[in-house]
Amino acid sequence: MPRIRKPVVPGWFTQDTGDFRLLGTRCRSCGSVFFPREDVFCRNPGCAGDDLEEVPLSRHGTVWSYTDGRYRPPAPYVSDPDTEWRPYTLVAVELVAERMVVLGQAAPGVGVADLAVGAEVELVPGILNEDAEHTWTTWHWRPVTTAPGPETTA
Amino acid sequence: MTGEVAVLGAGMHPWGKWGRGFVEYGTRAAREALADAGLEWGAVQSVVGADTVRGGYPGYVAGATFARALGSQGTRVTSVYAACASGAQAIDTARAQILAGMAEVVLVVGADAAPKGFFAPAGGDRPDDPDWLRFRVLGATNPAYFALYARRRMALYGDTVDDFAQVKVKNSAAGAANPYARYRRRVTTREVAASPVVADPLRLLDICATSDGGAALVLSSMDAARRHGVADPVRIRAVAAVTPRYPRTELDLPDIASDSAAAVAEPAAGFRASLAQGAYEEAGIGPEDLSLAEVYDLSTALELEWYEDLGLCGTGEAAKLLRDGATALGGRLPVNASGGLASFGEAVPAQAVAQVCELTWQLRGRAGERQVPDARVGVTANQGLFGHGSAVVAVR
């Protein structure tokens, strides 16, 4: 039986659409953007807003910093202790339009040697882990090798 | 300025991996602090415990737990949790009680028995907890964040992994002279370079260990100190325990993203720098007045950030300050004369208390081989999850 695809956290990114995006929220009063999404109150101390709309975040950004995990992290990270640990890469990405930094794992096969602070990366859909019933989906950052097209939304 | 409180006593349980309970470490430290103050337990009117979430239920009510271990006697009691800043907020609470006239003599205690390896979030399936989420979604351990800061320093300022190693070399040399430190051996740059990478570019010896340990302070009003015959005590002159200002644009533990600066301009000072500024303003001093500083060297590279945030040098100049030897014992402004977390390891609720213990011994001129000559003014700085942090100024 095929596994059911489920986002690791519901509502943080689009699922199985053509235009894969992280989903944040934006305060209708002051324009502050939040990721992970803030749905109840605006966190800007100068704003009493509580009306937040969902917005897709920019698909491209520049590397703020990066590292990798050479040791198996503790639970709730899911990994099989009976298999050899394979390091993953983490990338902190600066989104220009939102003026914020968003962390994510790099796409499979991307190591620290493939990254540099300031380099351009793009958001791609990824798989975090699988169990008997589910494929848990996530987002990944991947270096851009050719110049990206213009952003359609921010 | 808000007024000063006296440090009558300081005590610690030696740090290590002792395999015993945190109550024992804290109680031992408390008894040492009381003996150092020359006071009986009965003289204490309030106990403030810095909480540990790993100590089980008693760890969440540390004030009562230590009070009971020392022999409950009807004192005021408070328990404080602020992650790595718990100890400093316990000091702040004790100070507030003294300055408000609620108590004249207050005991502050922090202790922990930390598990080996990475710190992990509290158990259970809790997708509404950012600390749980960063592990589940990203596997982002604490060292991963330290490594992000380290790599960015390398890109922005030209810091090298050898600079980071030199912080460990410096702090291990100081720790070798501290009988309370867990690691009492000098480490070489070669040993740092030979240790395994944990999170690129940081190696095992760039990152502080998890430890067991305890630290305690006996604080009092200045009047009580005089009545007790201590005319010239070490005094706590400031405690800054401020929140960051929105938008917080540097990615920090345990967050998956920074705040956005799209709608509100970035504040003039980052979070760590604002802690230092708050303490300096309250104490009426500046970085030029300091004799020494104790900072949270959770990683070697992070110690360099603190140099800049404390105003010991300009942005990007920390590695130069280190290379010049200014921050080593014998230098112009020793940082982590105690040996720092590099030599102690993390015993979370104890470490900010331990920083003030070190300042106390240094300002009394009783720090032995690691004594900073003529120490008059010291600052501590620490930071915990979720935007907790503090800086303490002590003077003599």
Side-chain angles (χ1 to χ4, degrees), chain A residues 25-40:
Chain A
T25 55
R26 181 165 52 202
C27 173
R28 287 189 204 266
S29 302
C30 74
S32 286
V33 178
F34 301 98
F35 181 84
R37 56 190 303 143
E38 192 69 61
D39 283 298
V40 186

Side-chain angles (χ1 to χ4, degrees), chain B residues 270-342:
Chain B
F271 178 42
R272 280 186 297 270
S274 70
L275 290 165
Q277 284 172 12
Y280 291 152
E281 274 169 32
E282 191 172 285
I285 64 151
E288 65 281 1
D289 299 311
L290 295 173
S291 311
L292 77 159
E294 289 282 309
V295 305
Y296 263 25
D297 55 327
L298 296 164
S299 83
T300 51
L302 194 62
E303 177 170 316
L304 299 179
E305 302 257 354
W306 281 116
Y307 295 179
E308 296 164 13
D309 293 327
L310 286 173
L312 311 185
C313 62
T315 302
E317 294 170 358
K320 182 176 186 308
L321 196 69
L322 173 80
R323 290 175 203 145
D324 292 348
T327 58
L329 280 179
R332 179 163 55 79
L333 205 162
V335 176
N336 286 330
S338 67
L341 296 174

Side-chain angles (χ1 to χ4, degrees), chain A residues 8-9 12 30-36 42-45 63-78 88 90-92 94 97-105 112 117-118 128-129 136 138-139, chain B residues 118-121 124-125 127 131-141 143-145 147-152 155-156 196-201 204 246 249-251 255-266:
Chain A
V8 60
V9 188
W12 280 18
C30 74
S32 286
V33 178
F34 301 98
F35 181 84
C42 178
R43 291 208 312 267
N44 171 3
V63 175
W64 185 83
S65 194
Y66 56 94
T67 183
D68 59 8
R70 303 284 179 97
Y71 289 81
R72 195 186 305 275
Y77 193 73
V78 178
Y88 55 82
L90 286 172
V91 197
E94 201 162 7
E98 292 84 355
R99 298 194 59 196
M100 70 194 300
V101 175
V102 178
L103 199 54
Q105 289 190 343
V112 290
V117 171
L128 183 61
N129 68 293
W136 296 99
T138 189
W139 71 93
Chain B
F118 293 124
F119 282 144
D125 210 26
D131 196 42
W132 186 89
L133 282 166
R134 57 135 167 173
F135 282 95
R136 171 68 186 102
V137 178
L138 300 170
T141 60
Y145 287 82
L148 291 170
Y149 310 146
R151 172 60 62 186
R152 187 152 171 90
L156 258 54
V197 174
V198 174
D200 178 275
L204 195 59
Y246 182 86
T249 54
E250 186 173 77
L251 187 68
D255 294 328
I256 285 175
S258 71
D259 290 335
S260 161
V264 180
E266 200 173 334

Side-chain angles (χ1 to χ4, degrees), chain B residues 2 12 17 21 60 68 94 144 169 201 205 227 244 279 299 344 348 358:
Chain B
T2 54
M12 277 196 214
K17 283 280 187 189
Y60 291 95
R68 176 173 154 152
V169 170
L205 293 184
R227 285 202 306 276
S299 83
F344 276 73
V348 171
E358 176 68 11

